[in-house]
């Protein structure tokens, strides 16, 4: 079986990698973790990043089958609804998004009409569910810890898109202090990914490189085993939990967390316009997250 073709589109503003995955030109594809540009000062959205994805899809005559989210992101807004309007495809995420929705419905005091069944998405993946991207076999792996709903997508035999569960080896792993996060669960999820064959290529959702390194998106299972500063071979679960909890206590919230989570639990769909034709976000004041 041939390896999937992967186009990498990096958004510098949010340090996010969006991936277009397909077997060959003219075939079906999946778009993973798209970005809607958002200016938090002006309260304006734009589609510069998403339009780069559209341009690539058109250049290869691809047919969008899936718009995949690895989780409800706290650092960027999903462009999946915009891409669905322009290109088609089904917006999909793990079925534990319902847990995340329950937590944040209370925080944002969302209206009773906001349902906690994940129906805002076109498809909810069950843990380890098998699916296809055109002719490419794929599997949705449940990897909670960063959030309860994190998924990794294994495509073909040797490629996995791991979201925020793992970063590049010199950065380690994602934080676990958001509502519903768990360092213990993240350690086990990392282990699940690192049980894949050593040559498996792992693609991360974000990179925040230290000085002197350019942004990078790809490593292998073998490299993570040998070099990941948080979960390399020899680091126990108790050691990881202590490190992760200590480190998370020093971190500030992502700049775009409140707008991002509020929209991403709704599959990226903007709130309905009010009687003046304008959509509004809610910002809870003096609420511990």
């Amino acid at each position: 079986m041939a390896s999937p073709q992967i186009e990498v589109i990096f958004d510098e503003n949010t340090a996010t990698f969006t991936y277009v995955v397909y077997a060959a030109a003219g075939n079906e594809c999946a778009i993973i973790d798209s970005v809607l540009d958002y200016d938090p000062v002006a309260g304006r959205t734009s589609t510069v990043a998403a339009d780069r994805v559209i341009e690539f899809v058109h250049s290869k005559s691809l047919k969008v089958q899936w718009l995949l989210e690895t989780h409800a992101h706290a650092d960027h807004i999903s462009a999946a609804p915009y891409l669905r309007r322009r290109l088609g495809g089904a917006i999909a995420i793990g079925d534990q998004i319902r847990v995340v929705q329950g937590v944040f419905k209370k925080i944002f005091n969302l209206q009773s009409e906001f349902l906690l069944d994940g129906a805002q998405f076109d498809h909810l993946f069950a843990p380890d569910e098998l699916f296809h991207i055109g002719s490419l076999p794929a599997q949705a792996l449940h990897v909670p810890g960063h959030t309860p709903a994190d998924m990794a997508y294994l495509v073909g035999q040797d490629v996995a898109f791991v979201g925020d569960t793992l970063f590049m080896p010199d950065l380690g792993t994602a934080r676990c202090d958001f509502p519903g996060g768990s360092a213990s669960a993240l350690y086990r999820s990392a282990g699940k990914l690192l049980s894949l064959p050593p040559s498996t290529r792992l693609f991360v959702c974000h990179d925040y490189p230290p000085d002197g390194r350019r942004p990078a998106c790809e490593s292998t299972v073998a490299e993570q085993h040998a070099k990941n500063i948080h979960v390399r071979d020899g680091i126990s679960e108790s050691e990881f939990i202590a490190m992760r909890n200590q480190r998370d206590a020093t971190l500030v919230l992502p700049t775009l967390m409140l707008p991002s989570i509020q929209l991403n639990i709704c599959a990226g769909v903007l709130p309905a316009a009010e009687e003046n034709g304008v959509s509004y976000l809610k910002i809870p004041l003096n609420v511990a997250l």
Side-chain angles (χ1 to χ4, degrees), residues 80-135:
Y82 171 71
L83 293 173
R84 183 175 58 185
R85 290 195 301 272
R86 294 289 306 275
L87 300 172
I91 303 175
I93 199 168
D95 61 9
Q96 292 303 299
I97 188 63
R98 294 174 292 206
V99 176
V100 180
Q101 289 177 329
V103 170
F104 283 99
K105 180 174 182 175
K106 296 176 183 176
I107 290 173
F108 289 111
N109 195 31
L110 299 177
Q111 295 180 350
S112 58
E113 291 80 8
F114 180 79
L115 301 179
L116 304 180
D117 59 1
Q120 300 84 353
F121 297 82
D122 299 312
H123 184 81
L124 300 181
F125 286 113
D128 302 325
E129 181 176 339
L130 301 175
F131 65 107
H132 280 81
I133 303 169
S135 61

Side-chain angles (χ1 to χ4, degrees), residues 21-154:
V21 187
Y22 59 103
N27 287 16
E28 292 82 1
C29 73
I31 299 170
I32 303 175
D33 289 337
S34 61
V35 176
L36 182 72
D37 300 281
Y38 177 68
D39 180 347
V41 176
R44 293 184 179 276
T45 63
S46 61
T47 59
V48 174
D51 288 337
R52 292 168 59 199
V53 176
I54 292 173
E55 181 180 3
F56 176 79
V57 167
H58 285 162
S59 75
K60 296 294 184 181
S61 301
L62 300 173
K63 298 177 281 290
V64 176
Q65 182 179 6
W66 293 102
L67 297 158
L68 302 178
E69 302 290 349
T70 54
H71 61 293
H73 307 277
D75 39 31
H76 72 271
I77 298 169
S78 171
Y82 171 71
L83 293 173
R84 183 175 58 185
R85 290 195 301 272
R86 294 289 306 275
L87 300 172
I91 303 175
I93 199 168
D95 61 9
Q96 292 303 299
I97 188 63
R98 294 174 292 206
V99 176
V100 180
Q101 289 177 329
V103 170
F104 283 99
K105 180 174 182 175
K106 296 176 183 176
I107 290 173
F108 289 111
N109 195 31
L110 299 177
Q111 295 180 350
S112 58
E113 291 80 8
F114 180 79
L115 301 179
L116 304 180
D117 59 1
Q120 300 84 353
F121 297 82
D122 299 312
H123 184 81
L124 300 181
F125 286 113
D128 302 325
E129 181 176 339
L130 301 175
F131 65 107
H132 280 81
I133 303 169
S135 61
L136 295 170
Q139 187 174 19
L141 305 177
H142 186 213
V143 286
H146 176 55
T147 81
D150 278 60
M151 303 297 284
Y153 297 106
L154 180 63

Side-chain angles (χ1 to χ4, degrees), residues 185-203:
L186 183 63
Y187 184 86
R188 294 192 297 270
S189 293
K192 183 174 185 177
L193 293 173
L194 297 183
S195 70
L196 295 170
S199 61
T200 304
R201 302 164 65 195
L202 304 178
F203 290 86

Side-chain angles (χ1 to χ4, degrees), residues 153-164:
Y153 297 106
L154 180 63
V155 182
Q157 296 179 327
D158 61 352
V159 170
F161 300 88
V162 301
D164 284 3

